[in-house]
Amino acid sequence: MRTTGIAALLLFIGLAVYLLPLQPNLVALQFAGNADAFQAILAQWQPAGVALFRSHLPVDAALLLAYGAFGYLLTTRTAVFARYTPAWRLRVSALMPVAALADVGENILHWYLTSGHLENAALLVPIATACSALKFAGIVLFGVVVVHARSVARR
């Protein structure tokens, strides 16, 4: 469990530094919302920025595997959630893997959309944005639940 957490943290930091040159930043693309906004960001990035973005996707796949596994293992293999009922532990254990699956969907769509295939962008960009929103919601909710579990454990 510790290994997956450390791997996720190191991969996240490495990718954040690697993608710093992208302006607007990666989050802007993740929440573009529509094809025009998405295309405007790609135009600002120019071909070199798009290539930089595309080159990070295989490493991002390792990151999503690491954080998905970390969340599941923290929930099921440690005492952090010991005071939660089995049903709640099961729900919490799904948060990070579901976030990781949403990240997979986002990555596949972004890979396709940044390869020059923009004819379906009006449909696919909102789906990619929804995947991004689900991913971030799962990660943030997991963090909130961990803080709650730790505060309950201290009482």
Short mmCIF file of all heavy atoms in Angstrom, two decimals, residues 33-88:
data_model
loop_
_atom_site.label_atom_id
_atom_site.label_comp_id
_atom_site.label_asym_id
_atom_site.label_seq_id
_atom_site.Cartn_x
_atom_site.Cartn_y
_atom_site.Cartn_z
N GLY A 33 -14.90 21.74 -21.80
CA GLY A 33 -16.35 21.71 -21.85
C GLY A 33 -16.97 21.62 -23.22
O GLY A 33 -18.00 21.00 -23.40
N ASN A 34 -16.37 22.26 -24.21
CA ASN A 34 -16.93 22.20 -25.56
C ASN A 34 -15.80 22.20 -26.58
O ASN A 34 -14.66 22.53 -26.27
CB ASN A 34 -17.93 23.33 -25.81
CG ASN A 34 -17.29 24.69 -25.74
OD1 ASN A 34 -16.38 25.00 -26.51
ND2 ASN A 34 -17.75 25.52 -24.81
N ALA A 35 -16.15 21.85 -27.80
CA ALA A 35 -15.15 21.67 -28.85
C ALA A 35 -14.41 22.97 -29.16
O ALA A 35 -13.18 22.95 -29.40
CB ALA A 35 -15.81 21.13 -30.11
N ASP A 36 -15.10 24.10 -29.16
CA ASP A 36 -14.43 25.36 -29.48
C ASP A 36 -13.37 25.71 -28.44
O ASP A 36 -12.26 26.12 -28.78
CB ASP A 36 -15.46 26.50 -29.59
CG ASP A 36 -16.35 26.36 -30.81
OD1 ASP A 36 -15.95 25.67 -31.78
OD2 ASP A 36 -17.45 26.93 -30.79
N ALA A 37 -13.72 25.56 -27.17
CA ALA A 37 -12.75 25.85 -26.10
C ALA A 37 -11.57 24.88 -26.17
O ALA A 37 -10.42 25.28 -25.98
CB ALA A 37 -13.43 25.77 -24.74
N PHE A 38 -11.85 23.62 -26.45
CA PHE A 38 -10.81 22.60 -26.56
C PHE A 38 -9.85 22.95 -27.70
O PHE A 38 -8.63 22.96 -27.52
CB PHE A 38 -11.46 21.23 -26.79
CG PHE A 38 -10.53 20.06 -26.68
CD1 PHE A 38 -10.31 19.45 -25.46
CD2 PHE A 38 -9.88 19.56 -27.80
CE1 PHE A 38 -9.47 18.35 -25.34
CE2 PHE A 38 -9.04 18.46 -27.70
CZ PHE A 38 -8.83 17.86 -26.47
N GLN A 39 -10.41 23.27 -28.86
CA GLN A 39 -9.59 23.62 -30.01
C GLN A 39 -8.79 24.89 -29.77
O GLN A 39 -7.64 25.00 -30.23
CB GLN A 39 -10.46 23.75 -31.27
CG GLN A 39 -10.98 22.41 -31.75
CD GLN A 39 -11.95 22.54 -32.89
OE1 GLN A 39 -12.79 23.44 -32.92
NE2 GLN A 39 -11.86 21.62 -33.84
N ALA A 40 -9.36 25.84 -29.05
CA ALA A 40 -8.64 27.08 -28.74
C ALA A 40 -7.41 26.80 -27.87
O ALA A 40 -6.34 27.38 -28.07
CB ALA A 40 -9.58 28.08 -28.05
N ILE A 41 -7.55 25.88 -26.93
CA ILE A 41 -6.42 25.52 -26.08
C ILE A 41 -5.35 24.82 -26.90
O ILE A 41 -4.16 25.15 -26.80
CB ILE A 41 -6.88 24.65 -24.89
CG1 ILE A 41 -7.73 25.49 -23.93
CG2 ILE A 41 -5.67 24.03 -24.16
CD1 ILE A 41 -8.48 24.69 -22.90
N LEU A 42 -5.75 23.90 -27.76
CA LEU A 42 -4.77 23.22 -28.62
C LEU A 42 -4.06 24.22 -29.52
O LEU A 42 -2.84 24.10 -29.74
CB LEU A 42 -5.44 22.14 -29.46
CG LEU A 42 -6.07 20.96 -28.71
CD1 LEU A 42 -6.63 19.94 -29.71
CD2 LEU A 42 -5.10 20.31 -27.76
N ALA A 43 -4.77 25.22 -30.01
CA ALA A 43 -4.15 26.24 -30.86
C ALA A 43 -3.12 27.05 -30.07
O ALA A 43 -2.04 27.37 -30.59
CB ALA A 43 -5.22 27.16 -31.45
N GLN A 44 -3.43 27.36 -28.81
CA GLN A 44 -2.48 28.09 -27.97
C GLN A 44 -1.25 27.24 -27.67
O GLN A 44 -0.15 27.76 -27.58
CB GLN A 44 -3.14 28.53 -26.67
CG GLN A 44 -4.11 29.68 -26.86
CD GLN A 44 -4.74 30.07 -25.54
OE1 GLN A 44 -5.63 29.37 -25.03
NE2 GLN A 44 -4.29 31.18 -24.99
N TRP A 45 -1.46 25.96 -27.48
CA TRP A 45 -0.34 25.07 -27.19
C TRP A 45 0.57 24.90 -28.40
O TRP A 45 1.75 24.63 -28.24
CB TRP A 45 -0.85 23.70 -26.76
CG TRP A 45 -1.37 23.64 -25.36
CD1 TRP A 45 -1.43 24.64 -24.44
CD2 TRP A 45 -1.92 22.48 -24.72
NE1 TRP A 45 -1.99 24.19 -23.28
CE2 TRP A 45 -2.29 22.86 -23.42
CE3 TRP A 45 -2.15 21.19 -25.14
CZ2 TRP A 45 -2.86 21.97 -22.52
CZ3 TRP A 45 -2.72 20.30 -24.25
CH2 TRP A 45 -3.07 20.69 -22.95
N GLN A 46 0.01 25.02 -29.59
CA GLN A 46 0.72 24.78 -30.84
C GLN A 46 1.18 23.32 -30.91
O GLN A 46 1.06 22.58 -29.94
CB GLN A 46 1.86 25.78 -31.00
CG GLN A 46 1.35 27.21 -31.03
CD GLN A 46 2.44 28.21 -31.27
OE1 GLN A 46 3.59 27.87 -31.53
NE2 GLN A 46 2.08 29.48 -31.20
N PRO A 47 1.70 22.89 -32.03
CA PRO A 47 2.07 21.47 -32.18
C PRO A 47 3.04 20.96 -31.11
O PRO A 47 2.90 19.82 -30.64
CB PRO A 47 2.68 21.41 -33.58
CG PRO A 47 1.98 22.50 -34.32
CD PRO A 47 1.80 23.61 -33.30
N ALA A 48 3.99 21.78 -30.70
CA ALA A 48 4.95 21.32 -29.68
C ALA A 48 4.26 21.06 -28.35
O ALA A 48 4.57 20.08 -27.65
CB ALA A 48 6.07 22.34 -29.51
N GLY A 49 3.32 21.90 -27.96
CA GLY A 49 2.59 21.71 -26.71
C GLY A 49 1.69 20.50 -26.76
O GLY A 49 1.56 19.76 -25.78
N VAL A 50 1.04 20.31 -27.91
CA VAL A 50 0.18 19.13 -28.07
C VAL A 50 1.03 17.87 -27.99
O VAL A 50 0.63 16.89 -27.34
CB VAL A 50 -0.62 19.20 -29.40
CG1 VAL A 50 -1.38 17.90 -29.64
CG2 VAL A 50 -1.57 20.40 -29.38
N ALA A 51 2.21 17.89 -28.61
CA ALA A 51 3.11 16.73 -28.54
C ALA A 51 3.56 16.48 -27.10
O ALA A 51 3.63 15.32 -26.67
CB ALA A 51 4.32 16.95 -29.45
N LEU A 52 3.85 17.54 -26.37
CA LEU A 52 4.23 17.40 -24.96
C LEU A 52 3.07 16.77 -24.18
O LEU A 52 3.28 15.83 -23.40
CB LEU A 52 4.59 18.77 -24.37
CG LEU A 52 4.93 18.78 -22.88
CD1 LEU A 52 6.28 18.12 -22.63
CD2 LEU A 52 4.92 20.20 -22.35
N PHE A 53 1.87 17.27 -24.40
CA PHE A 53 0.70 16.72 -23.72
C PHE A 53 0.53 15.24 -24.04
O PHE A 53 0.35 14.41 -23.14
CB PHE A 53 -0.57 17.48 -24.13
CG PHE A 53 -1.82 16.82 -23.67
CD1 PHE A 53 -2.26 16.93 -22.36
CD2 PHE A 53 -2.57 16.03 -24.55
CE1 PHE A 53 -3.41 16.29 -21.92
CE2 PHE A 53 -3.73 15.39 -24.12
CZ PHE A 53 -4.14 15.52 -22.81
N ARG A 54 0.58 14.89 -25.31
CA ARG A 54 0.39 13.50 -25.72
C ARG A 54 1.47 12.59 -25.14
O ARG A 54 1.20 11.44 -24.79
CB ARG A 54 0.35 13.39 -27.24
CG ARG A 54 -0.95 13.94 -27.83
CD ARG A 54 -0.94 13.95 -29.35
NE ARG A 54 -0.75 12.64 -29.94
CZ ARG A 54 -1.70 11.74 -30.15
NH1 ARG A 54 -2.95 12.03 -29.82
NH2 ARG A 54 -1.44 10.58 -30.72
N SER A 55 2.67 13.11 -25.00
CA SER A 55 3.77 12.28 -24.49
C SER A 55 3.61 11.95 -23.01
O SER A 55 4.20 11.00 -22.52
CB SER A 55 5.12 12.96 -24.73
OG SER A 55 5.28 14.09 -23.89
N HIS A 56 2.79 12.72 -22.29
CA HIS A 56 2.60 12.43 -20.86
C HIS A 56 1.58 11.34 -20.60
O HIS A 56 1.52 10.77 -19.51
CB HIS A 56 2.21 13.72 -20.11
CG HIS A 56 0.75 13.82 -19.76
ND1 HIS A 56 -0.21 14.19 -20.68
CD2 HIS A 56 0.09 13.59 -18.61
CE1 HIS A 56 -1.40 14.18 -20.10
NE2 HIS A 56 -1.25 13.83 -18.83
N LEU A 57 0.75 11.03 -21.59
CA LEU A 57 -0.37 10.10 -21.36
C LEU A 57 0.06 8.70 -20.93
O LEU A 57 -0.58 8.14 -20.03
CB LEU A 57 -1.28 10.07 -22.58
CG LEU A 57 -2.09 11.36 -22.79
CD1 LEU A 57 -2.79 11.35 -24.14
CD2 LEU A 57 -3.08 11.59 -21.67
N PRO A 58 1.11 8.09 -21.48
CA PRO A 58 1.51 6.77 -20.97
C PRO A 58 1.93 6.81 -19.49
O PRO A 58 1.61 5.89 -18.73
CB PRO A 58 2.68 6.37 -21.87
CG PRO A 58 2.45 7.13 -23.14
CD PRO A 58 1.85 8.45 -22.70
N VAL A 59 2.60 7.86 -19.09
CA VAL A 59 3.01 7.99 -17.68
C VAL A 59 1.78 8.25 -16.81
O VAL A 59 1.68 7.74 -15.69
CB VAL A 59 4.07 9.10 -17.50
CG1 VAL A 59 4.47 9.25 -16.04
CG2 VAL A 59 5.29 8.80 -18.37
N ASP A 60 0.82 9.00 -17.35
CA ASP A 60 -0.42 9.23 -16.62
C ASP A 60 -1.17 7.93 -16.39
O ASP A 60 -1.85 7.77 -15.37
CB ASP A 60 -1.30 10.24 -17.37
CG ASP A 60 -2.41 10.80 -16.50
OD1 ASP A 60 -2.14 11.19 -15.35
OD2 ASP A 60 -3.57 10.83 -16.97
N ALA A 61 -1.04 6.98 -17.31
CA ALA A 61 -1.66 5.66 -17.12
C ALA A 61 -1.05 4.97 -15.90
O ALA A 61 -1.77 4.34 -15.12
CB ALA A 61 -1.49 4.80 -18.37
N ALA A 62 0.25 5.09 -15.72
CA ALA A 62 0.89 4.52 -14.53
C ALA A 62 0.40 5.24 -13.27
O ALA A 62 0.16 4.61 -12.24
CB ALA A 62 2.41 4.61 -14.65
N LEU A 63 0.24 6.56 -13.37
CA LEU A 63 -0.25 7.33 -12.22
C LEU A 63 -1.65 6.88 -11.83
O LEU A 63 -1.91 6.65 -10.64
CB LEU A 63 -0.25 8.83 -12.56
CG LEU A 63 -0.95 9.75 -11.55
CD1 LEU A 63 -0.29 9.66 -10.18
CD2 LEU A 63 -0.96 11.18 -12.07
N LEU A 64 -2.54 6.73 -12.78
CA LEU A 64 -3.91 6.36 -12.42
C LEU A 64 -3.97 4.95 -11.84
O LEU A 64 -4.77 4.68 -10.94
CB LEU A 64 -4.87 6.56 -13.59
CG LEU A 64 -4.76 5.68 -14.83
CD1 LEU A 64 -5.57 4.41 -14.68
CD2 LEU A 64 -5.26 6.47 -16.03
N LEU A 65 -3.12 4.05 -12.32
CA LEU A 65 -3.05 2.72 -11.71
C LEU A 65 -2.57 2.82 -10.27
O LEU A 65 -3.10 2.15 -9.38
CB LEU A 65 -2.12 1.82 -12.51
CG LEU A 65 -2.65 1.33 -13.86
CD1 LEU A 65 -1.55 0.60 -14.63
CD2 LEU A 65 -3.86 0.43 -13.67
N ALA A 66 -1.57 3.66 -10.04
CA ALA A 66 -1.01 3.81 -8.70
C ALA A 66 -2.03 4.42 -7.73
O ALA A 66 -2.23 3.91 -6.62
CB ALA A 66 0.26 4.64 -8.73
N TYR A 67 -2.69 5.53 -8.13
CA TYR A 67 -3.61 6.14 -7.17
C TYR A 67 -4.89 5.31 -7.00
O TYR A 67 -5.46 5.27 -5.91
CB TYR A 67 -3.89 7.61 -7.46
CG TYR A 67 -4.83 7.97 -8.59
CD1 TYR A 67 -6.20 7.75 -8.52
CD2 TYR A 67 -4.35 8.60 -9.73
CE1 TYR A 67 -7.06 8.11 -9.55
CE2 TYR A 67 -5.19 8.97 -10.77
CZ TYR A 67 -6.54 8.73 -10.66
OH TYR A 67 -7.39 9.10 -11.68
N GLY A 68 -5.32 4.63 -8.04
CA GLY A 68 -6.48 3.74 -7.90
C GLY A 68 -6.19 2.61 -6.92
O GLY A 68 -7.00 2.31 -6.03
N ALA A 69 -5.01 1.99 -7.08
CA ALA A 69 -4.62 0.91 -6.17
C ALA A 69 -4.41 1.42 -4.75
O ALA A 69 -4.83 0.78 -3.78
CB ALA A 69 -3.34 0.23 -6.68
N PHE A 70 -3.79 2.58 -4.63
CA PHE A 70 -3.54 3.15 -3.30
C PHE A 70 -4.84 3.35 -2.54
O PHE A 70 -4.97 2.95 -1.37
CB PHE A 70 -2.79 4.47 -3.40
CG PHE A 70 -2.70 5.20 -2.10
CD1 PHE A 70 -1.83 4.78 -1.11
CD2 PHE A 70 -3.52 6.29 -1.83
CE1 PHE A 70 -1.76 5.43 0.11
CE2 PHE A 70 -3.46 6.95 -0.62
CZ PHE A 70 -2.58 6.52 0.35
N GLY A 71 -5.82 3.97 -3.17
CA GLY A 71 -7.09 4.22 -2.49
C GLY A 71 -7.77 2.93 -2.07
O GLY A 71 -8.28 2.82 -0.95
N TYR A 72 -7.78 1.96 -2.97
CA TYR A 72 -8.40 0.68 -2.65
C TYR A 72 -7.67 0.00 -1.49
O TYR A 72 -8.30 -0.48 -0.53
CB TYR A 72 -8.41 -0.23 -3.88
CG TYR A 72 -9.02 -1.58 -3.59
CD1 TYR A 72 -10.40 -1.73 -3.53
CD2 TYR A 72 -8.21 -2.68 -3.33
CE1 TYR A 72 -10.96 -2.97 -3.23
CE2 TYR A 72 -8.77 -3.90 -3.03
CZ TYR A 72 -10.14 -4.05 -2.98
OH TYR A 72 -10.68 -5.27 -2.66
N LEU A 73 -6.35 -0.04 -1.56
CA LEU A 73 -5.58 -0.72 -0.52
C LEU A 73 -5.66 0.00 0.82
O LEU A 73 -5.75 -0.64 1.87
CB LEU A 73 -4.12 -0.87 -0.96
CG LEU A 73 -3.90 -1.81 -2.15
CD1 LEU A 73 -2.44 -1.72 -2.62
CD2 LEU A 73 -4.28 -3.23 -1.80
N LEU A 74 -5.65 1.32 0.81
CA LEU A 74 -5.76 2.07 2.06
C LEU A 74 -7.10 1.77 2.73
O LEU A 74 -7.17 1.63 3.95
CB LEU A 74 -5.64 3.58 1.80
CG LEU A 74 -5.70 4.46 3.04
CD1 LEU A 74 -4.43 4.28 3.88
CD2 LEU A 74 -5.88 5.92 2.66
N THR A 75 -8.12 1.63 1.93
CA THR A 75 -9.46 1.39 2.47
C THR A 75 -9.62 -0.04 2.97
O THR A 75 -10.24 -0.27 4.02
CB THR A 75 -10.52 1.66 1.39
OG1 THR A 75 -10.32 2.97 0.87
CG2 THR A 75 -11.91 1.58 1.96
N THR A 76 -9.07 -1.00 2.26
CA THR A 76 -9.35 -2.40 2.57
C THR A 76 -8.27 -3.09 3.39
O THR A 76 -8.54 -4.13 3.98
CB THR A 76 -9.55 -3.21 1.27
OG1 THR A 76 -8.37 -3.15 0.48
CG2 THR A 76 -10.75 -2.68 0.49
N ARG A 77 -7.08 -2.54 3.44
CA ARG A 77 -5.98 -3.25 4.09
C ARG A 77 -5.36 -2.53 5.28
O ARG A 77 -4.33 -2.96 5.78
CB ARG A 77 -4.86 -3.52 3.06
CG ARG A 77 -5.32 -4.25 1.82
CD ARG A 77 -5.10 -5.74 1.92
NE ARG A 77 -5.77 -6.47 0.87
CZ ARG A 77 -5.24 -6.81 -0.29
NH1 ARG A 77 -4.01 -6.45 -0.57
NH2 ARG A 77 -5.94 -7.49 -1.16
N THR A 78 -5.96 -1.42 5.69
CA THR A 78 -5.43 -0.70 6.85
C THR A 78 -6.55 -0.46 7.85
O THR A 78 -7.73 -0.70 7.55
CB THR A 78 -4.82 0.67 6.44
OG1 THR A 78 -5.88 1.55 6.03
CG2 THR A 78 -3.78 0.53 5.34
N ALA A 79 -6.20 0.06 8.99
CA ALA A 79 -7.19 0.35 10.03
C ALA A 79 -7.77 1.75 9.91
O ALA A 79 -8.58 2.15 10.75
CB ALA A 79 -6.54 0.18 11.40
N VAL A 80 -7.41 2.49 8.86
CA VAL A 80 -7.89 3.87 8.72
C VAL A 80 -9.41 3.93 8.76
O VAL A 80 -9.99 4.82 9.38
CB VAL A 80 -7.35 4.51 7.41
CG1 VAL A 80 -7.99 5.86 7.17
CG2 VAL A 80 -5.83 4.62 7.46
N PHE A 81 -10.08 2.98 8.14
CA PHE A 81 -11.54 2.98 8.07
C PHE A 81 -12.15 1.91 8.98
O PHE A 81 -13.27 1.46 8.74
CB PHE A 81 -11.99 2.78 6.62
CG PHE A 81 -11.58 3.91 5.73
CD1 PHE A 81 -10.41 3.83 4.98
CD2 PHE A 81 -12.34 5.06 5.65
CE1 PHE A 81 -10.02 4.87 4.17
CE2 PHE A 81 -11.95 6.12 4.84
CZ PHE A 81 -10.79 6.02 4.10
N ALA A 82 -11.45 1.53 10.03
CA ALA A 82 -11.91 0.46 10.91
C ALA A 82 -13.25 0.76 11.56
O ALA A 82 -14.04 -0.15 11.82
CB ALA A 82 -10.86 0.20 12.00
N ARG A 83 -13.55 2.02 11.80
CA ARG A 83 -14.82 2.37 12.46
C ARG A 83 -15.97 2.51 11.48
O ARG A 83 -17.09 2.78 11.90
CB ARG A 83 -14.64 3.65 13.25
CG ARG A 83 -13.69 3.45 14.41
CD ARG A 83 -13.65 4.64 15.30
NE ARG A 83 -12.74 4.37 16.39
CZ ARG A 83 -12.77 5.00 17.53
NH1 ARG A 83 -13.65 5.95 17.72
NH2 ARG A 83 -11.91 4.70 18.46
N TYR A 84 -15.71 2.35 10.21
CA TYR A 84 -16.76 2.40 9.19
C TYR A 84 -17.41 1.02 9.08
O TYR A 84 -16.75 0.01 9.28
CB TYR A 84 -16.18 2.80 7.84
CG TYR A 84 -15.91 4.28 7.67
CD1 TYR A 84 -15.20 5.00 8.62
CD2 TYR A 84 -16.35 4.96 6.55
CE1 TYR A 84 -14.94 6.35 8.46
CE2 TYR A 84 -16.09 6.31 6.38
CZ TYR A 84 -15.40 7.00 7.34
OH TYR A 84 -15.15 8.33 7.17
N THR A 85 -18.68 0.99 8.75
CA THR A 85 -19.35 -0.29 8.54
C THR A 85 -18.78 -0.94 7.27
O THR A 85 -18.23 -0.24 6.41
CB THR A 85 -20.87 -0.09 8.35
OG1 THR A 85 -21.10 0.62 7.14
CG2 THR A 85 -21.48 0.62 9.55
N PRO A 86 -18.91 -2.24 7.15
CA PRO A 86 -18.43 -2.90 5.93
C PRO A 86 -19.04 -2.30 4.65
O PRO A 86 -18.35 -2.17 3.64
CB PRO A 86 -18.84 -4.35 6.12
CG PRO A 86 -18.86 -4.53 7.61
CD PRO A 86 -19.35 -3.22 8.15
N ALA A 87 -20.30 -1.93 4.71
CA ALA A 87 -20.94 -1.34 3.52
C ALA A 87 -20.30 0.00 3.15
O ALA A 87 -20.07 0.28 1.97
CB ALA A 87 -22.44 -1.16 3.78
N TRP A 88 -19.99 0.82 4.16
CA TRP A 88 -19.35 2.11 3.88
C TRP A 88 -17.91 1.92 3.42
O TRP A 88 -17.43 2.64 2.54
CB TRP A 88 -19.41 3.03 5.10
CG TRP A 88 -20.69 3.82 5.09
CD1 TRP A 88 -21.79 3.62 5.87
CD2 TRP A 88 -21.01 4.90 4.22
NE1 TRP A 88 -22.76 4.51 5.55
CE2 TRP A 88 -22.32 5.32 4.53
CE3 TRP A 88 -20.32 5.56 3.21
CZ2 TRP A 88 -22.95 6.36 3.87
CZ3 TRP A 88 -20.94 6.60 2.54
CH2 TRP A 88 -22.25 6.99 2.88
#
